[in-house]
């Protein structure tokens, strides 16, 4: 722990040279500190190239407790985990969680190296009761995980999380199953989606899939949305990264809005570009 704190102080001195590392987390203006941190990353050209803004979102509420989310460049999302009596307090608390995670992401131990890949794959094999032979086979879950890690060699964990979130959503949405049925290999899928980030187009395609699912099983959308909201709340109170749960909520809410606005909305014709990806099979 002492070594970790010392490493954090060293990082603070590098990226926030005008701040005192000993009192950095006690500073009331943590919102400006988080902005300063990511502006510094942009100037060093070490931040995510696709996004340069730290975005805040406050949930509408007539009174406390208030909830605030902060989304970092690259898409990682954090929220306040304390019970906050004002929107400003919730915003500061969310910024503090995001700043701590941003600083931890700078530690050498948070960068994907060959040693990190070996340790992570071993943990995955143990937790899945599999074998190291599975890790060498990209058609298995452990093998795909290893391939994703190797594709992200040299990146930080927050950068890797962007790709992981996309695949978590594809699995939840049923798209990976559809890809297996078209005989696309996992390497092809990973290589394809490694070029993309989560955007409105991808969310819209996933929402269309859930609209089609709602027609087959009325009530499934509301059920999934309730589950996503519960998972998001539990993860926020635990101080965890929230992107996956928040994206689920956004996609399902978009689907419900589309259904109420246009009951005869079309079914998806090209699920997340899968036709283009697998057209050669």
């Amino acid at each position: 722990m002492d070594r970790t704190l010392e490493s954090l102080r060293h990082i603070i001195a590098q990226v926030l040279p005008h701040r005192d590392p000993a009192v950095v987390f006690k500073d009331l203006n943590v919102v400006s500190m988080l902005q300063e941190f990511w502006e510094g990353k942009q100037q060093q050209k070490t931040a995510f190239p696709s996004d340069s803004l730290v975005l805040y979102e406050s949930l509408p509420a007539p009174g406390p407790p208030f909830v605030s989310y902060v989304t970092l460049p690259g898409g990682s999302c954090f929220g306040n985990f304390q019970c906050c009596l004002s929107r400003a307090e919730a915003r500061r608390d969310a910024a503090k969680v995001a700043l701590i995670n941003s600083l931890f992401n700078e530690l050498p131990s948070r960068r994907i190296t060959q040693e990190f890949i070996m340790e992570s794959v071993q943990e995955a094999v143990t937790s899945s009761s599999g074998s190291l032979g599975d890790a060498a086979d990209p058609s298995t879950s452990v093998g795909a995980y290893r391939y994703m890690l190797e594709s992200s060699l040299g990146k930080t964990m927050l950068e890797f999380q962007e790709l992981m979130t996309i695949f978590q959503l594809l699995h939840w949405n049923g798209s990976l199953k559809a890809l297996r049925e078209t005989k696309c290999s996992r390497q092809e899928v990973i290589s394809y989606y490694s070029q993309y980030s989560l955007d409105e187009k991808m969310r819209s395609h996933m929402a269309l899939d859930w609209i089609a699912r709602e027609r087959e099983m009325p009530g499934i959308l509301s059920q999934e949305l309730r589950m996503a909201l519960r998972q998001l709340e539990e993860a926020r109170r635990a101080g965890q990264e929230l992107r996956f749960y928040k994206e689920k909520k956004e996609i399902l809410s978009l689907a419900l809005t589309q259904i109420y606005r246009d009951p005869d909305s079309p079914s998806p014709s090209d699920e997340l570009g899968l036709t283009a990806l697998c057209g050669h099979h």
Side-chain angles (χ1 to χ4, degrees):
M1 178 60 72
D2 290 341
R3 187 174 299 174
T4 298
L5 291 175
E6 183 59 36
S7 298
L8 280 177
R9 291 193 184 100
H10 178 67
I11 291 167
I12 292 168
Q14 286 183 316
V15 298
L16 299 173
H18 304 298
R19 306 282 183 173
D20 182 355
V23 298
V24 68
F25 295 119
K26 296 179 182 179
D27 194 321
L28 293 179
N29 202 5
V30 69
V31 172
S32 69
M33 290 170 57
L34 181 64
Q35 184 67 34
E36 183 182 338
F37 173 88
W38 283 101
E39 285 177 355
K41 295 279 288 179
Q42 286 293 328
Q43 292 172 2
Q44 298 167 14
K45 301 188 183 301
T46 57
F48 296 84
S50 60
D51 222 341
S52 60
L53 297 176
V54 176
L55 302 175
Y56 290 89
E57 175 188 354
S58 295
L59 294 188
F66 292 100
V67 174
S68 180
Y69 298 115
V70 55
T71 301
L72 302 177
S76 294
C77 180
F78 300 93
N80 60 298
F81 67 91
Q82 295 183 350
C83 181
C84 297
L85 301 182
S86 71
R87 289 184 175 85
E89 182 186 359
R91 183 184 173 103
R92 286 195 299 269
D93 193 52
K96 185 184 296 184
V97 176
L99 179 60
I100 291 172
N101 278 275
S102 296
L103 290 170
F104 264 104
N105 194 56
E106 296 297 303
L107 293 174
S109 61
R110 302 297 290 172
R111 194 165 291 277
I112 297 174
T113 62
Q114 287 292 353
E115 183 180 1
F116 178 88
I117 292 173
M118 291 175 61
E119 292 176 356
S120 300
V121 169
Q122 183 61 60
E123 290 177 6
V125 168
T126 302
S127 62
S128 63
S129 300
S131 67
L132 285 176
D134 295 333
D137 183 359
S139 67
T140 66
S141 297
V142 175
Y145 177 57
R146 178 178 180 175
Y147 184 81
M148 290 173 68
L149 284 169
E150 290 177 341
S151 301
S152 302
L153 189 65
K155 294 183 178 180
T156 66
M157 286 306 297
L158 285 185
E159 291 174 303
F160 178 63
Q161 185 62 42
E162 168 84 357
L163 181 60
M164 279 295 292
T165 300
I166 291 176
F167 279 87
Q168 283 177 294
L169 288 170
L170 291 174
H171 176 72
W172 163 73
N173 196 54
S175 299
L176 289 183
K177 181 179 179 182
L179 283 166
R180 283 197 298 270
E181 293 172 353
T182 59
K183 297 183 179 178
C184 284
S185 70
R186 290 179 188 256
Q187 296 101 311
E188 288 175 310
V189 176
I190 293 170
S191 297
Y192 181 82
Y193 283 105
S194 295
Q195 305 171 43
Y196 296 92
S197 60
L198 278 166
D199 56 16
E200 290 303 317
K201 181 178 179 181
M202 188 175 290
R203 294 185 191 98
S204 296
H205 277 299
M206 290 190 177
L208 286 174
D209 289 333
W210 282 101
I211 291 172
R213 202 165 288 146
E214 174 72 12
R215 292 201 186 101
E216 299 174 0
M217 297 178 288
I220 187 68
L221 264 178
S222 296
Q223 178 182 330
E224 281 287 327
L225 182 57
R226 283 194 297 270
M227 184 185 303
L229 288 171
R230 185 176 69 250
Q231 292 172 333
L232 179 60
E233 178 70 3
E234 291 173 352
R236 179 184 66 80
R237 290 183 176 181
Q240 298 175 0
E241 203 277 329
L242 307 175
R243 181 83 183 277
F244 175 54
Y245 307 113
K246 194 167 182 295
E247 289 290 350
K248 284 171 65 174
K249 185 201 77 167
E250 297 294 339
I251 292 165
L252 295 166
S253 298
L254 179 62
L256 279 171
T257 300
Q258 184 67 27
I259 284 178
Y260 284 117
R261 186 175 60 191
D262 183 11
D264 298 320
S265 56
S267 299
S269 57
D270 184 10
E271 182 185 3
L272 294 173
L274 301 188
T275 300
L277 171 60
C278 300
H280 65 282
H281 284 289

